[in-house]
Every structure is written in structure tokens, then in C-alpha cells.
């Protein structure tokens, strides 16, 4: 069947690279004379049948723009009364031949179910700054977010050295420590706290003290979802997908107190938060976003539904949505040991201060 009209939605947390992906899909589909609609704010737009035309002119210059021009939400049609039926009705009402859903595990989990349970013609595009989708080597958004976090970490180290303080940076990333690990590796941090292993307070304090003794400052990077032993767990607030909303965990504050107590050093912390999700996408995210957007359009043109576009090595290839959303990709032992081996060597201060 030749496609006439394709809808595109972006769901979940936004990230740099979404606009290049939207642009890639719209431009590729326009080449084949296919009309595009942009659904407003993720699955919410599909439930409410709210869409806007999306023409090549609309996307011409968005390749370098952060966020998503379509808007986004964490709406789950499976948690709304009649939500899934409404999504199916929207396909008919708006005469959609296909839907390209751009999102992380939650958005794509819905797309996967809509395909397996209802045979709705969907194609997935992976996006998340968390980089936690197992079927793809990298997701766009991650490179930009980690790059911004590295800049923040280095700024913290500058002021930490001036004041002879330990500095701690809390980054996002949900239950996968990729952003924290890459930020720590790329900024030469002295310690990293990841959700994949409970914080070893004694080990952290010993490494921070050794680094401080050698360099008059020390830098710790911590993920927002780390477990700190001995800390009383707060009541967890959940989103529509049943995931913990992590915004109020106060990891930076709590780790600062622990570090001060254990090391006797002065510690300051900063939480980068949503700053790392805004701004222009890096070169890597612009190119990856463009490639997966174009490939998603091509899968839709070929009637290859129920798949997500994945980056495998340097190729963008289809993988089934089911496989793509089966499990989270978390930091494994090999990556952890890379950091641990490098941070075990305190070294000398690099500047005369
Ligand atoms: O999943 C992306 C992400 O940025 C996580 O790293 C973070 O925990 C969450 O979204 C924040 O969500 P919100 O924008 O809803 O506060």
C-alpha cells in the first residue's frame, strides 16, 4: 500500500536530537509525496486526535534546535479510560497510514503493544538522554547531555581548586548510570556513584581524601538514582508508567553530608538537572537523529511496522519493538572497572595552585 499520510509523535522526556529526527523523517517522506502530521505532546495528541501539519518548510531549520517542536508528555494510553481505543480511532479519523513514535522505553513500550495487540502500523525511533535502551548502541540525546555535564564538572573543579573544596555534581539518567559514568570518565573525576551499585561510603571517602591530598580538590559525579546505604527510603512517587519520579531524592545534598562527615573536608554540590536536556544537539546527536529519522521513514514506506530503528556499530537497522523494549541497558562490570582502574591512581596536582 502506498502511504499517503504519516503522523509523528515525541513522547517522554525531551532530548536534543528529536528535532533532527523529526526533520529527517518529514523530508524523506516528502520526497515520496507523503504528507506528515505532527501529533501534539506525545500519546496525548493521539488520544485527543490533536495534530498539526508538518511540512518540509516547518522542519527546514530545526536540525540545530534543542527540545521537540511537537511538544511531549508522559501520557500512557493504557492508563487512560478508553485511551487505546481512542488512539485506534485517531488513526481512522485522521486517515493515518502509519505512525512514527519517537521515545524511550515507555513511549516505545506503548508502540510495541499497539503493534502486537492491535496491529496498528507503528515504527519506533529511540531517543533518551539516559542511553538505556538495550537494542541500540547509542540513543541521541545522550551525547549532548553528557557533554553539557562534562562542562559543568570541569567548572566545578575550577572553583573547587581555588577554594580547596571537594565538589560533587549530580546528573540525571534515571536507573542507568551512563550519563554519570561518561561524565566522570570524560572529566577525570575522582569518584563516581552509579545506580548500578550501592555507594560504598568508606571507599568513596578514602578515594576522595587521597585525591584531595594529591590535588587540593576532588570531584565526585553522582547519578540521581544512587542508593546511599543507611539512608531512609522516602515514599516513592510514580509516573503513569509506574516509574519513580526522581526529582526529589536529594542525592547531591545527602551525599554532601555523608562526604563531609566521612572526610572532614569542605564539600559543595550542584545539581545540573534539566540544563543537561536543553540546548543545541551536538554534531553526533544531529547526525544520529537525522539518520534514524530517515530510516524510520523508510521502514514506514516499506510497510515494515512493529520495528524500531537501532544503531548497531555504524549501521542503522530495524529491530523489533518487542526486543527493543524488553530490558533496560545498564552499566556493566567492564565499564565500571574502566573507571575504577583509572581513579585508583591519585597522581599529582597538574597546576601550581
Ligand atoms: O528519562 C529522561 C530523564 O531526563 C531522566 O534522566 C530524568 O530522571 C527524568 O527524565 C526527568 O523527568 P522530568 O522532565 O519529567 O522531570
Amino acid at each position: 500500500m502506498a502511504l499517503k499520510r504519516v503522523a509523528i509523535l515525541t513522547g517522554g522526556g525531551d532530548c536534543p536530537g528529536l528535532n533532527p529526527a523529526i526533520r529527517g523523517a518529514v523530508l524523506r517522506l516528502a520526497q515520496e509525496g507523503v504528507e506528515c502530521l505532527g501529533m501534539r505532546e506525545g500519546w496525548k495528541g493521539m488520544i485527543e486526535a490533536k495534530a498539526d501539519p508538518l511540512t518540509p518548510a516547518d522542519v527546514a531549520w530545526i536540525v540545530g534546535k534543542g527540545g521537540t517542536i511537537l511538544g511531549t508528555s508522559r501520557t500512557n494510553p493504557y492508563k487512560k479510560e478508553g485511551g487505546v481505543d481512542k488512539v485506534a480511532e485517531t488513526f481512522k479519523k485522521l486517515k493515518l497510514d502509519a505512525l512514527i513514535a519517537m521515545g524511550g522505553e515507555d513511549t516505545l513500550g506503548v508502540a510495541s503493544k499497539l503493534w502486537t495487540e492491535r496491529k496498528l502500523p507503528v515504527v519506533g525511533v529511540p531517543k533518551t538522554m539516559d542511553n538505556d535502551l538495550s537494542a541500540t548502541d547509542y540513543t541521541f540525546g545522550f551525547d549532548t547531555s553528557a557533554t553539557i555535564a562534562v562542562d559543568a564538572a570541569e567548572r566545578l573543579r575550577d572553583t573547587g581548586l581555588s577554594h580547596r573544596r571537594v565538589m560533587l555534581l549530580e546528573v540525571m539518567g534515571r536507573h542507568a548510570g551512563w550519563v554519570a559514568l561518561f561524565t566522570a570518565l570524560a572529566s577525570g573525576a575522582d569518584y563516581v556513584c552509579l545506580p548500578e551499585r550501592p555507594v560504598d561510603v568508606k571507599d568513596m571517602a578514602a578515594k576522595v581524601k587521597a585525591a584531595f591530598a594529591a590535588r587540593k580538590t576532588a570531584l565526585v559525579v553522582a547519578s540521581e538514582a544512587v542508593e546511599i546505604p543507611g539512608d531512609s527510603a522516602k515514599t516513592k512517587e510514580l509516573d503513569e508508567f509506574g516509574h519513580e519520579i526522581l526529582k526529589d531524592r536529594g542525592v547531591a545534598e545527602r551525599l554532601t553530608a555523608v562526604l563531609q562527615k566521612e572526610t572532614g573536608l569542605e564539600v559543595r554540590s550542584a545539581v545540573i538537572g534539566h540544563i543537561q536536556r536543553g540546548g543545541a544537539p551536538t554534531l553526533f546527536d544531529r547526525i544520529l537523529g537525522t539518520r534514524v529519522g530517515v530510516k524510520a521513514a523508510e521502514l514506514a514506506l516499506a510497510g515494515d511496522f512493529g520495528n524500531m530503528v537501532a544503531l548497531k556499530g555504524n549501521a542503522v537497522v530495524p529491530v523489533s519493538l518487542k526486543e527493543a523494549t524488553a530490558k533496560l541497558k545498564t552499566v556493566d562490570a567492564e565499564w565500571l572497572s574502566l573507571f575504577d582502574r583509572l581513579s585508583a591512581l591519585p597522581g599529582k596536582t597538574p597546576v601550581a595552585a
Side-chain angles (χ1 to χ4, degrees):
M1 180 193 70
L3 300 187
K4 289 203 181 78
R5 187 181 274 180
V6 173
I8 301 175
L9 69 78
T10 54
D14 70 344
C15 71
L18 277 168
N19 284 328
I22 295 166
R23 176 175 174 270
V26 171
L27 295 184
R28 183 67 189 89
L29 288 164
Q31 281 175 343
E32 307 300 324
V34 179
E35 187 191 343
C36 287
L37 287 184
M39 303 311 302
R40 288 188 205 159
E41 295 142 32
W43 292 113
K44 187 164 175 269
M46 282 303 287
I47 292 172
E48 296 172 0
K50 287 201 175 135
D52 299 295
L54 205 46
T55 67
D58 294 322
V59 300
W61 289 344
I62 64 172
V63 70
K65 238 176 110 51
T68 160
I69 59 164
L70 304 181
T72 185
S73 69
R74 295 196 190 275
T75 306
N76 181 355
Y78 283 88
K79 284 283 153 74
K80 302 277 179 214
E81 185 73 26
V84 179
D85 288 335
K86 285 183 189 153
V87 168
E89 278 159 29
T90 298
F91 269 88
K92 288 198 190 122
K93 189 170 167 191
L94 301 183
K95 297 190 170 57
L96 304 179
D97 299 314
L99 169 68
I100 298 176
M102 303 184 175
E105 56 151 342
D106 295 335
T107 304
L108 297 180
V110 171
S112 176
K113 274 164 97 176
L114 292 174
W115 168 249
T116 48
E117 293 173 6
R118 303 268 184 141
K119 282 290 164 275
L120 291 174
V122 293
V123 173
V125 166
K127 72 84 228 184
T128 167
M129 59 153 285
D130 304 336
N131 198 37
D132 58 359
L133 286 169
S134 57
T136 187
D137 290 352
Y138 286 97
T139 49
F140 60 73
F142 171 66
D143 187 69
T144 309
S145 295
T147 301
I148 295 169
V150 168
D151 179 59
E154 290 180 331
R155 286 167 192 263
L156 287 179
R157 183 191 282 121
D158 285 349
T159 173
L161 180 59
S162 307
H163 287 263
R164 311 325 194 197
R165 285 172 176 156
V166 174
M167 304 304 289
L168 184 141
L169 174 67
E170 178 189 322
V171 298
M172 294 206 284
R174 256 195 186 176
H175 298 287
W178 295 109
V179 177
L181 179 71
F182 275 49
T183 301
L185 277 170
S187 63
D190 302 293
Y191 206 78
V192 68
C193 301
L194 304 173
E196 283 82 358
R197 61 179 176 193
V199 179
D200 182 337
V201 173
K202 296 286 170 215
D203 182 55
M204 174 172 69
K207 298 243 171 77
V208 163
K209 274 168 96 172
F212 190 89
R215 291 187 291 276
K216 302 186 176 77
T217 184
L219 177 64
V220 177
V221 177
S223 157
E224 62 179 349
V226 293
E227 295 298 330
I228 307 167
D231 236 33
S232 58
K234 290 190 187 166
T235 325
K236 294 180 179 172
E237 197 191 332
L238 305 180
D239 65 17
E240 285 194 16
F241 291 87
H243 292 129
E244 185 186 351
I245 299 171
L246 295 162
K247 68 179 167 51
D248 293 326
R249 288 183 97 239
V251 159
E253 217 178 300
R254 285 150 52 207
L255 276 177
T256 298
V258 169
L259 261 173
Q260 270 187 179
K261 185 165 166 268
E262 294 291 327
T263 62
L265 296 167
E266 192 179 17
V267 186
R268 292 284 192 277
S269 65
V271 182
I272 187 171
H274 293 80
I275 293 169
Q276 75 198 110
R277 247 175 42 192
T282 54
L283 173 71
F284 181 86
D285 283 340
R286 292 180 197 208
I287 302 301
L288 180 57
T290 301
R291 290 179 78 198
V292 293
V294 168
K295 185 71 179 179
E298 287 173 351
L299 292 182
L301 287 164
D304 213 346
F305 299 120
N307 286 311
M308 178 194 92
V309 183
L311 178 71
K312 299 258 191 199
N314 198 23
V316 284
V317 295
V319 292
S320 82
L321 274 166
K322 206 164 175 205
E323 181 197 330
T325 53
K327 69 172 171 66
L328 270 199
K329 181 176 69 182
T330 50
V331 173
D332 60 27
E334 197 181 334
W335 275 107
L336 277 174
S337 75
L338 176 65
F339 183 87
D340 290 346
R341 272 181 273 139
L342 295 180
S343 71
L345 312 164
K348 281 245 157 47
T349 181
V351 280

